[in-house]
Amino acid sequence: PFPLPDVNDQVPHLCTSWFDFNYYYHLAMLYRPSPLLPTMDRERVKTLAEAASMSIRQAFNLHRQHRLAYNWLNLLALFTATLSRIYSTTVLPENLVTILKETRAIEDLDLAIALFDTLGVKFPAANKIRGMIAEISRRYKDLRDSG
């Protein structure tokens, strides 16, 4: 029965956003490249991009609602979703500038940066990840604005 009734705002797994976050994260895990399927067709890349994007957005939604658990599992999930988003943006054969202008890739990375910033309070590794993602986002913005 979705959406779930909002019975306890302190329990993350009692809200619809938590299920959406996990659904899209696991969908991205299924569609990301693997040794069994190292090359991906366009439809698979599009599915990966959408799943990774929605995973990041749902995590940010949980963060905004103060329902995101700041633990290693969610740090790993966010890291994996962010890497999948970056991969799905750069692997397409079209011009990267066009892709950056037509998709929400930069906005997704900016949301991930904000999440890693918060996770960095508890986990120092998140600060290093945040720095890497911020650099990629900056370069994407430079490319988008130059083209």
Side-chain angles (χ1 to χ4, degrees), residues 114-140:
L115 290 167
F116 283 119
D117 195 37
T118 303
L119 284 162
V121 172
K122 189 172 182 181
F123 304 108
N127 291 321
K128 292 179 182 179
I129 295 168
R130 182 201 172 283
M132 291 186 298
I133 304 304
E135 179 64 21
I136 293 168
S137 178
R138 185 189 63 75
R139 290 184 186 197
Y140 276 178

Side-chain angles (χ1 to χ4, degrees), residues 37-85:
L37 192 63
T39 57
M40 298 172 40
D41 63 4
R42 178 179 303 283
E43 287 305 311
R44 220 174 142 82
V45 171
K46 286 175 122 177
T47 302
L48 175 64
E50 188 62 27
S53 174
M54 289 303 295
S55 179
I56 293 166
R57 289 176 181 274
Q58 291 302 323
F60 192 79
N61 189 28
L62 286 167
H63 166 70
R64 194 176 48 223
Q65 295 172 12
H66 303 287
R67 289 184 166 180
L68 182 66
Y70 302 104
N71 58 35
W72 278 104
L73 291 175
N74 286 337
L75 173 65
L76 176 63
L78 183 60
F79 179 66
T80 304
T82 305
L83 285 181
S84 296
R85 186 65 175 122

